[in-house]
Amino acid sequence: MSKHVVILGGGIGGIATAYNLRRMDSSLKITIVSGRPYFGFTPAYPHLALGWRKFEDITIPLANLLPKFNIDYVPENGESIDPDNNKIRTTSGKEIEYDYLVIATGPKLVFGAEGQEQYSTSVCTAEHALELQKKLEEFYADPGPVVVGAIPGVSCFGPAYEFAFMLHHELKKRGLRHRVRITYITSEPYVGHLGLGGVGPSRRLMEDLFAERSINWIANVKITKVEPDKVIYEDLEGKQYEVPCKLSMLMPRFMGPEVVASAGDKVANPANKMVIVNRCFQNPTYKNIYGVGVVTAIPPVEQTPIPTGAPKTGMMIEQMALAVAKNIVNDIKNSADRYAPELSAVCIADMGGDAAGFFAHPVLPPRATVKHKKAVWMHWFKSAFEKYFLWKVKSGNISPFFEEKALELLLGVHGVRLCKDCSGSPGTC
Amino acid sequence: MSKHVVILGGGIGGIATAYNLRRMDSSLKITIVSGRPYFGFTPAYPHLALGWRKFEDITIPLANLLPKFNIDYVPENGESIDPDNNKIRTTSGKEIEYDYLVIATGPKLVFGAEGQEQYSTSVCTAEHALELQKKLEEFYADPGPVVVGAIPGVSCFGPAYEFAFMLHHELKKRGLRHRVRITYITSEPYVGHLGLGGVGPSRRLMEDLFAERSINWIANVKITKVEPDKVIYEDLEGKQYEVPCKLSMLMPRFMGPEVVASAGDKVANPANKMVIVNRCFQNPTYKNIYGVGVVTAIPPVEQTPIPTGAPKTGMMIEQMALAVAKNIVNDIKNSADRYAPELSAVCIADMGGDAAGFFAHPVLPPRATVKHKKAVWMHWFKSAFEKYFLWKVKSGNISPFFEEKALELLLGVHGVRLCKDCSGSPGTC
Amino acid sequence: MSKHVVILGGGIGGIATAYNLRRMDSSLKITIVSGRPYFGFTPAYPHLALGWRKFEDITIPLANLLPKFNIDYVPENGESIDPDNNKIRTTSGKEIEYDYLVIATGPKLVFGAEGQEQYSTSVCTAEHALELQKKLEEFYADPGPVVVGAIPGVSCFGPAYEFAFMLHHELKKRGLRHRVRITYITSEPYVGHLGLGGVGPSRRLMEDLFAERSINWIANVKITKVEPDKVIYEDLEGKQYEVPCKLSMLMPRFMGPEVVASAGDKVANPANKMVIVNRCFQNPTYKNIYGVGVVTAIPPVEQTPIPTGAPKTGMMIEQMALAVAKNIVNDIKNSADRYAPELSAVCIADMGGDAAGFFAHPVLPPRATVKHKKAVWMHWFKSAFEKYFLWKVKSGNISPFFEEKALELLLGVHGVRLCKDCSGSPGTC
């Protein structure tokens, strides 16, 4: 009888895993469990917030999409996992048995600063971005100072930089820039750290990009509180400061959602409830459970004075999805070959007119290669990639042959690597 | 009967105001009161000091010039202002009644460090520049270390940078550079601050320009004393240091001259005796008194550990002169329209072979636009602008149509802006 | 009777002096005393260590070479100098009388950190480089972290930078870069100081070059101890840190060898046993003794928190050799003309694919000119220069006419300068 793979989550990680599995094994039974009824291209949420994209442009309803590829769709969230009995329960109480479980839920957002959820905004979900879009319309009518930043524990800094740059661009276009003081406040030890310990000369590059745009920055501090008209932060000595603002966009930190926690301490990392995985992105205890995407527990690149985490960018998630799909299919086929994702980060911060891109390979040092580039074409490349990726999702083409070849040629990177032994931290092999 | 506008000062501010008024109203009676018998192109005084310009090249005698445009000329300084009776008294005791008074005297120079006036030099007046020219001739015969810098409270740093760069260039040409240690000592919190809180990445740019020329720098300190063979400065903790030098050029700080103080505390800012103005550059108490140029009281861009002020560059002064002329003419015509200058700073530091330029718009943050450029053509542009400006003064063309258009096209700046309400600080609207 | 010039040392300094003398005076008796049987092109020793050059490619046996130019060769080291009786004794006890003595032995290497000689490696001699080559072969089979750096008192930092860059390049080529953390640890106050107080914006350039290659750096510290698996260093407060490493390459500091010390305190600087010279590179006490190259005592460019010295690069040594040869020949001819070398430093750090070059003229500030350049052609230029120099040595052409012309045209530098008075520090005139 054909095996059943259940995938929690219908985002980049879940979809990419499902498509890879389908491509490798047409008879496999695949089920995606996702309470969110659409696939969303998360890197475009800042664009959604600024009204540069419409919701329909960057999302695809799952109910229409998945049946085309013979993937079952359960339009509910997972509520609990019973790893000892190989089944999950959904929010409506439905039980689903699995042979393999892939956890790709994405993160639970933690608005760790007092008042952050109430008085600040985010671009981490389409809903937040749409809410911010509305607030921005009011803001343009009566502008004032803006704070953009990241609270302690954040692992995903790119959208904060991107939002600061893009807001600058939008305000210029509207002739309002001279009425808005923009301040970037971050838990990174320095601007350009990006949770990555820097990527080549990213500190200098980011400082210059901010300076050229008259964006002020304050690094190595903890945002502790948001009030309707100010953001309050502390330095390392605990001294408090406040920055007035009419609008703020602060990145939350990420942890694993309750459904992961329900699986117990052998699946959920006690510290952050993310999925414990080995270098093949398989749970070391329950060998038929895998993790893909932001919900997996990856160690930080380096200790920072104020805690920060390593980002999991789109390329890393695609690499995880490919490795996990290969590992499941090989397990079914009784092949001993196991794959580990290379975990290379590509990060392109759109700035409206142009864009700044970084490439770090591998993400966890020592690094073989770092690259950086600021160029107008990067802005167009990012837009083109968005269209290409949405095309891939609509047409079911994840990791097509020519993409792997391009990565190899351009960046010298392979998506995944054959690994003798899966035990060991993610990112090594 | 035609109204009488009296203008104190025959520099860029006074001349530009007079020409604008004449262009807008050919019947107006205009009188310029200036003890200095010539118009001087102040940005070229460093060039005068280095012998790269002759005095005749960059000055125009007022006595020949003004009558051509039907502007009366009183070759004396103002001694006192009686704002309640609408008249001024000159140094010879002559009384002149006015309908409108424009104060455009330029600053009184304050050599605040002990021994500065005696043992150091400046490029703030043509006389100082000529004196420095002589000292330099002796210096070349027997060179030694040089200090260039700015004492606490300075608002005009550009000429100090320019002099350091140009002296480097001149010493190279003379084959003497290896015998002269050049040190730049400043009250700015960092090199490239410029009294402007920096202009984009001006810190990095200036540090590189100094490093490439082997010019050492010491920032965030107070020069307290000049002796014949050394400059003495203090750090923030009050610790004293000395730098040996054979020659020094130190920018003085600026305050309003006695004639402004004589008008009382409602005209002269008690702190620095500069003219109190609203955003339309009109005195809020005596509505028929206006200020133009360096003598007006503008708040600093930001508080610095050691006090510094905001520069008032040529472009800002031209914008003030245009706004004030429009406001006077509209007042005469009983039009309620009032204009505020945009206050955009263009600052080009000549370096001999090439030049570094900065553009900040508006000067007071938040800023819509900052630009910077280092190029050989900037050097020639600055020279060309000097010739163009002197042509403008000789021919009476201030703010001609094509210049306004060029600014709009190139920099997106308007000279002045129609303002509903004149109350409020300069630089806002 | 023809005069006898004895030269201690057969490296760049000794050979260049001998060739210059022979060119100027074909009848002079010249003897080179050198226990090392070959001339080695020291700037290529890092290349030898990495296996990019063979020993035969960059060395020339002296025994075959010198007779061609009528230069006597004594294949032993000098053991002692008797300056009062104008003779030296070699290690075998042979006594050689001289009319003029040129000390060009090169330095004695001081491995000042505990365990440095035992557990670390160097590229200062061909033997060390060959030993390092062997260690690297083992290292590639099982790589780990690497430390590259310089202990307190080092004056020659270039090869350390070069080795770090070149090792990065080699590891990339071998696909091993992601398994090797490279850390640069130095006594320089900042990266890019180079013992030269920086050369223009060398700090920024070096920081960027390191950042682009993911090489970490720690500056302004003292390496105190090397253990088989770690390097231990202290900060200015004496706090200790350690960096794990599987391989280290640490520059030793230089002092004068025993043979110089044997000549007494009037020849050997008490502090470092290097040869005391005046600006003409003549000993002030014994006027027929000269010094050339690394063995001469030159003051540091500036005091640094942790001691560092000024490097003596190839170009400086060639300038010294030319000046000393001219001075000896003029002394023989009873001409009063004496020459001082200009002491301009050219330093090209090869990085495998490209190279970074610095030019400082003069080495001791104030400097007339500093230049810097990073380019692919610099890499090829350095290789071409190596071939050219080895051709010069083989063919006896030192300081040929067209080379002097090229320097004048390209860099505005003369090799030597006629000096009225030889008393005074090296590097002045």
Side-chain angles (χ1 to χ4, degrees):
Chain A
M1 206 193 85
S2 161
K3 298 286 185 181
H4 185 199
V5 181
V6 171
I7 299 171
L8 294 178
I12 292 180
I15 292 280
T17 309
Y19 283 15
N20 276 313
L21 285 169
R22 176 55 69 235
R23 186 163 57 96
M24 296 170 191
D25 183 343
S26 57
S27 68
L28 208 57
K29 179 170 162 62
I30 306 173
T31 304
I32 283 185
V33 176
S34 169
R36 202 181 57 193
Y38 57 85
F39 165 84
F41 186 71
T42 41
Y45 289 172
H47 302 70
L48 182 60
L50 284 158
W52 297 3
R53 295 287 186 286
K54 288 189 195 137
F55 179 81
E56 313 83 71
D57 293 344
I58 58 170
T59 57
I60 302 170
L62 294 174
N64 306 333
L65 181 71
L66 299 179
K68 282 195 230 169
F69 307 108
N70 190 22
I71 296 166
D72 294 342
Y73 174 47
V74 177
E76 294 181 54
N77 280 327
E79 188 171 79
S80 65
I81 299 167
D82 180 354
D84 294 310
N85 297 303
N86 297 322
K87 60 184 181 187
I88 65 148
R89 177 194 295 268
T90 67
T91 43
S92 72
K94 190 190 299 187
E95 290 201 339
I96 306 174
E97 296 199 345
Y98 60 80
D99 295 300
Y100 298 93
L101 177 68
V102 178
I103 306 177
T105 55
K108 174 180 164 187
L109 308 182
V110 181
F111 298 93
E114 196 187 327
Q116 183 183 2
E117 194 162 9
Q118 206 177 342
Y119 300 120
S120 183
T121 61
S122 113
V123 291
C124 292
T125 69
E127 290 69 30
H128 287 171
L130 289 170
E131 188 196 317
L132 177 49
Q133 201 187 83
K134 263 187 226 152
K135 284 202 183 176
L136 279 170
E137 283 308 325
E138 291 165 33
F139 175 82
Y140 296 141
D142 182 19
V146 169
V147 168
V148 179
I151 66 168
V154 162
S155 54
C156 181
F157 296 93
Y161 285 97
E162 206 167 25
F163 183 74
F165 290 137
M166 286 165 60
L167 180 64
H168 165 87
H169 190 82
E170 182 69 23
L171 289 169
K172 287 270 296 178
K173 232 171 50 188
R174 291 176 183 259
L176 295 173
R177 183 63 185 90
H178 66 290
R179 294 174 64 190
V180 179
R181 197 178 278 264
I182 304 179
T183 310
Y184 180 83
I185 305 178
T186 184
S187 51
E188 295 156 283
Y190 51 85
V191 156
H193 181 279
L194 295 162
L196 290 165
V199 178
S202 55
R203 177 184 188 157
R204 186 154 298 162
L205 184 61
M206 283 301 192
E207 285 180 359
D208 279 355
L209 292 176
F210 274 167
E212 284 161 8
R213 284 158 183 76
S214 304
I215 297 171
N216 300 314
W217 67 88
I218 300 158
N220 212 18
V221 298
K222 303 181 215 189
I223 293 176
T224 52
K225 198 172 171 184
V226 184
E227 295 187 11
D229 59 349
K230 60 173 84 95
V231 166
I232 295 162
Y233 67 88
E234 268 180 33
D235 65 16
L236 289 176
E237 278 76 40
K239 220 179 135 188
Q240 288 209 340
Y241 305 83
E242 51 183 64
V243 177
C245 70
K246 197 141 189 176
L247 185 94
S248 67
M249 198 299 283
L250 301 178
M251 293 301 290
R253 59 189 172 81
F254 295 163
M255 58 183 289
E258 278 73 15
V259 67
V260 177
S262 74
D265 273 9
K266 286 174 176 155
V267 171
N269 182 314
N272 58 19
K273 305 301 174 197
M274 290 184 172
V275 182
I276 301 168
V277 290
N278 60 21
R279 60 169 60 131
C280 299
F281 281 73
Q282 179 185 42
N283 182 263
T285 310
Y286 300 100
K287 307 266 187 204
N288 63 339
I289 297 185
Y290 292 83
V292 168
V294 178
V295 78
T296 55
I298 290 185
V301 164
E302 62 175 17
Q303 276 227 313
T304 50
I306 294 167
T308 58
K312 290 149 202 158
T313 62
M315 185 169 177
M316 289 163 73
I317 298 174
E318 287 195 77
Q319 291 171 331
M320 293 177 203
L322 181 59
V324 164
K326 278 178 182 273
N327 292 339
I328 289 174
V329 169
N330 282 351
D331 197 62
I332 294 170
K333 294 196 297 195
N334 284 316
S335 153
D337 285 355
R338 289 294 177 277
Y339 288 86
E342 288 256 346
L343 298 189
S344 324
V346 168
C347 168
I348 301 180
D350 200 348
M351 304 189 290
D354 53 3
F358 299 99
F359 172 66
H361 171 74
V363 161
L364 299 174
R367 291 193 181 128
T369 309
V370 298
K371 288 179 196 286
H372 65 101
K373 185 84 197 170
K374 199 202 103 185
V376 170
W377 67 259
M378 296 278 288
H379 168 68
W380 296 109
F381 178 79
K382 180 155 187 169
S383 292
F385 183 77
E386 179 188 318
K387 310 297 178 271
Y388 167 69
F389 197 89
L390 288 163
W391 166 81
K392 287 206 301 185
V393 172
K394 278 183 197 146
S395 63
N397 282 294
I398 288 280
S399 309
F401 176 75
F402 64 86
E403 185 176 327
E404 281 183 51
K405 277 294 158 212
L407 280 178
E408 230 178 287
L409 283 171
L410 290 178
L411 297 172
V413 170
H414 301 261
V416 296
R417 180 187 286 258
L418 192 62
C419 237
K420 267 181 296 185
D421 176 12
C422 279
S423 67
S425 288
T428 60
C429 179
Chain B
M1 208 195 83
S2 160
K3 298 286 184 180
H4 185 199
V5 182
V6 171
I7 299 171
L8 294 178
I12 292 181
I15 292 279
T17 309
Y19 283 15
N20 276 312
L21 285 169
R22 176 55 69 235
R23 184 164 58 95
M24 296 172 192
D25 182 343
S26 58
S27 69
L28 208 58
K29 180 171 164 60
I30 305 173
T31 304
I32 282 185
V33 177
S34 169
R36 201 182 57 193
Y38 57 86
F39 164 84
F41 187 70
T42 40
Y45 289 172
H47 302 70
L48 182 60
L50 284 158
W52 297 4
R53 296 287 186 285
K54 288 189 195 139
F55 179 81
E56 313 83 71
D57 292 343
I58 56 169
T59 56
I60 303 170
L62 293 174
N64 306 333
L65 181 72
L66 299 179
K68 284 196 229 168
F69 307 108
N70 191 21
I71 296 166
D72 294 343
Y73 174 46
V74 177
E76 294 182 54
N77 280 327
E79 188 170 80
S80 65
I81 299 167
D82 180 354
D84 294 311
N85 295 302
N86 297 322
K87 60 186 181 186
I88 64 147
R89 178 194 294 268
T90 66
T91 43
S92 72
K94 189 190 300 188
E95 290 200 339
I96 306 174
E97 296 199 344
Y98 60 80
D99 294 300
Y100 298 92
L101 176 68
V102 178
I103 306 176
T105 54
K108 174 180 163 185
L109 308 182
V110 182
F111 298 93
E114 196 187 326
Q116 183 183 2
E117 194 161 10
Q118 208 176 339
Y119 300 120
S120 184
T121 62
S122 114
V123 292
C124 292
T125 68
E127 290 70 29
H128 287 171
L130 289 170
E131 189 196 317
L132 177 49
Q133 202 187 81
K134 263 187 227 155
K135 284 201 183 177
L136 279 169
E137 284 306 326
E138 291 165 35
F139 175 82
Y140 297 140
D142 182 19
V146 169
V147 169
V148 179
I151 66 168
V154 161
S155 53
C156 181
F157 296 92
Y161 285 98
E162 206 167 25
F163 184 74
F165 290 137
M166 286 164 60
L167 180 64
H168 164 86
H169 189 84
E170 182 68 24
L171 290 169
K172 286 271 294 178
K173 233 170 49 189
R174 291 176 182 259
L176 296 173
R177 182 63 184 88
H178 67 290
R179 294 174 63 190
V180 180
R181 198 178 276 266
I182 305 179
T183 310
Y184 180 83
I185 306 177
T186 184
S187 51
E188 296 156 282
Y190 50 85
V191 155
H193 181 278
L194 295 162
L196 289 164
V199 178
S202 55
R203 177 183 187 157
R204 187 155 298 163
L205 184 62
M206 283 300 193
E207 286 180 359
D208 279 356
L209 292 175
F210 274 166
E212 284 161 9
R213 285 158 183 75
S214 304
I215 298 172
N216 300 314
W217 67 88
I218 300 158
N220 212 18
V221 298
K222 303 181 217 191
I223 293 176
T224 53
K225 199 173 171 185
V226 184
E227 295 187 9
D229 58 350
K230 61 172 84 93
V231 166
I232 295 161
Y233 67 88
E234 267 181 33
D235 65 16
L236 289 176
E237 279 75 41
K239 219 179 135 189
Q240 287 208 342
Y241 305 83
E242 52 183 64
V243 177
C245 69
K246 198 142 189 175
L247 185 94
S248 67
M249 197 301 282
L250 302 177
M251 293 300 291
R253 62 188 170 82
F254 296 163
M255 60 183 289
E258 279 75 14
V259 65
V260 177
S262 75
D265 273 9
K266 286 176 175 153
V267 171
N269 182 315
N272 58 17
K273 305 299 174 198
M274 290 185 172
V275 182
I276 301 168
V277 290
N278 61 21
R279 60 169 59 133
C280 299
F281 281 73
Q282 179 186 42
N283 182 262
T285 310
Y286 300 100
K287 307 267 187 203
N288 62 340
I289 297 185
Y290 292 82
V292 168
V294 178
V295 77
T296 56
I298 288 185
V301 163
E302 63 176 16
Q303 276 226 314
T304 49
I306 294 167
T308 59
K312 289 150 202 158
T313 62
M315 185 169 177
M316 289 164 73
I317 299 174
E318 286 197 77
Q319 290 171 330
M320 294 177 202
L322 182 59
V324 164
K326 278 179 182 271
N327 292 338
I328 289 174
V329 168
N330 281 351
D331 197 62
I332 294 171
K333 293 196 297 192
N334 285 317
S335 153
D337 285 355
R338 289 295 176 278
Y339 288 86
E342 288 257 345
L343 298 188
S344 324
V346 168
C347 169
I348 301 180
D350 200 348
M351 303 189 292
D354 52 3
F358 299 100
F359 173 65
H361 171 72
V363 161
L364 300 173
R367 290 190 182 133
T369 308
V370 298
K371 288 178 197 288
H372 65 101
K373 186 84 199 169
K374 198 201 104 184
V376 170
W377 66 259
M378 296 277 290
H379 168 67
W380 296 110
F381 178 79
K382 180 154 187 169
S383 292
F385 183 76
E386 178 188 318
K387 311 296 179 271
Y388 167 69
F389 197 90
L390 289 163
W391 166 81
K392 286 206 301 184
V393 171
K394 277 183 197 147
S395 63
N397 282 294
I398 289 281
S399 309
F401 175 74
F402 64 85
E403 185 175 327
E404 280 182 50
K405 278 293 156 211
L407 281 178
E408 231 178 287
L409 283 171
L410 290 177
L411 297 171
V413 170
H414 301 261
V416 296
R417 181 187 286 259
L418 191 61
C419 237
K420 267 180 298 183
D421 177 12
C422 279
S423 66
S425 286
T428 61
C429 179
Chain C
M1 206 197 84
S2 163
K3 297 286 185 182
H4 185 200
V5 181
V6 171
I7 299 171
L8 294 177
I12 293 180
I15 292 279
T17 308
Y19 283 15
N20 276 311
L21 285 169
R22 175 57 68 236
R23 183 163 60 96
M24 295 170 192
D25 183 343
S26 57
S27 69
L28 209 58
K29 179 170 164 60
I30 305 173
T31 304
I32 282 185
V33 176
S34 168
R36 201 181 57 194
Y38 57 86
F39 164 84
F41 187 70
T42 40
Y45 289 172
H47 302 70
L48 182 61
L50 283 158
W52 298 4
R53 296 286 187 286
K54 290 188 195 138
F55 179 81
E56 313 83 72
D57 293 343
I58 57 170
T59 57
I60 303 171
L62 293 174
N64 306 332
L65 181 71
L66 299 179
K68 286 195 229 169
F69 308 108
N70 191 22
I71 297 167
D72 295 342
Y73 173 48
V74 177
E76 294 182 54
N77 280 327
E79 187 170 81
S80 65
I81 299 167
D82 179 353
D84 295 311
N85 296 302
N86 299 319
K87 59 183 181 189
I88 65 149
R89 176 194 295 267
T90 67
T91 43
S92 72
K94 188 192 300 186
E95 291 202 339
I96 306 173
E97 295 199 347
Y98 60 80
D99 295 300
Y100 298 91
L101 177 68
V102 178
I103 306 176
T105 55
K108 174 180 164 187
L109 308 183
V110 182
F111 298 93
E114 196 187 327
Q116 183 183 1
E117 194 161 10
Q118 207 177 339
Y119 300 120
S120 185
T121 62
S122 112
V123 291
C124 292
T125 68
E127 289 70 29
H128 287 171
L130 288 169
E131 189 196 316
L132 177 48
Q133 202 187 82
K134 263 188 227 153
K135 284 202 182 177
L136 279 169
E137 283 308 326
E138 291 165 35
F139 174 82
Y140 296 141
D142 182 19
V146 168
V147 169
V148 179
I151 67 168
V154 162
S155 55
C156 181
F157 297 92
Y161 285 98
E162 206 168 25
F163 184 73
F165 290 137
M166 286 164 59
L167 180 64
H168 164 87
H169 189 82
E170 182 67 24
L171 290 169
K172 287 270 295 177
K173 232 171 51 188
R174 291 175 181 258
L176 296 174
R177 182 63 183 88
H178 66 290
R179 295 174 64 190
V180 180
R181 198 178 276 267
I182 304 179
T183 310
Y184 180 83
I185 306 177
T186 184
S187 52
E188 295 156 283
Y190 51 85
V191 155
H193 181 279
L194 296 161
L196 289 165
V199 178
S202 56
R203 177 183 187 157
R204 184 155 301 161
L205 183 62
M206 283 301 192
E207 285 180 359
D208 279 355
L209 292 176
F210 274 167
E212 284 160 9
R213 284 159 183 75
S214 304
I215 297 171
N216 300 314
W217 67 88
I218 300 158
N220 212 18
V221 298
K222 303 181 216 190
I223 294 176
T224 53
K225 198 173 171 184
V226 184
E227 296 187 9
D229 59 349
K230 60 172 86 93
V231 166
I232 295 161
Y233 66 88
E234 267 180 34
D235 64 17
L236 289 176
E237 278 76 41
K239 219 179 135 189
Q240 287 208 343
Y241 305 83
E242 52 183 61
V243 178
C245 69
K246 196 140 191 177
L247 185 95
S248 66
M249 198 299 283
L250 302 177
M251 293 301 290
R253 62 188 171 80
F254 296 162
M255 58 184 288
E258 279 73 15
V259 64
V260 177
S262 74
D265 274 8
K266 285 173 176 157
V267 170
N269 181 315
N272 58 18
K273 305 300 174 198
M274 289 185 172
V275 182
I276 301 168
V277 290
N278 61 21
R279 60 169 58 132
C280 298
F281 282 72
Q282 178 185 43
N283 182 261
T285 309
Y286 300 99
K287 308 267 187 204
N288 62 340
I289 296 185
Y290 292 82
V292 167
V294 178
V295 77
T296 56
I298 290 186
V301 164
E302 63 176 16
Q303 275 227 313
T304 49
I306 294 167
T308 59
K312 289 150 203 159
T313 62
M315 186 170 176
M316 289 164 73
I317 298 173
E318 286 196 76
Q319 291 170 330
M320 292 178 205
L322 182 58
V324 164
K326 278 178 181 274
N327 293 337
I328 290 174
V329 169
N330 282 350
D331 196 62
I332 294 171
K333 294 197 296 193
N334 285 317
S335 153
D337 285 354
R338 288 296 176 277
Y339 288 86
E342 288 257 344
L343 299 188
S344 324
V346 168
C347 168
I348 300 181
D350 200 348
M351 304 190 291
D354 52 3
F358 299 99
F359 172 66
H361 171 74
V363 161
L364 300 173
R367 290 191 182 130
T369 308
V370 298
K371 289 180 197 285
H372 65 102
K373 185 84 199 169
K374 197 202 105 185
V376 171
W377 66 260
M378 297 278 288
H379 169 67
W380 296 109
F381 178 79
K382 181 154 187 169
S383 291
F385 183 77
E386 179 188 319
K387 311 295 179 271
Y388 167 69
F389 197 89
L390 288 164
W391 166 82
K392 287 206 303 184
V393 172
K394 279 182 195 148
S395 63
N397 282 294
I398 288 281
S399 309
F401 175 74
F402 62 85
E403 185 175 327
E404 281 183 49
K405 278 294 157 212
L407 280 178
E408 231 178 287
L409 282 171
L410 290 177
L411 298 171
V413 170
H414 301 261
V416 296
R417 181 187 285 260
L418 191 62
C419 238
K420 266 179 298 184
D421 177 12
C422 279
S423 67
S425 286
T428 61
C429 178

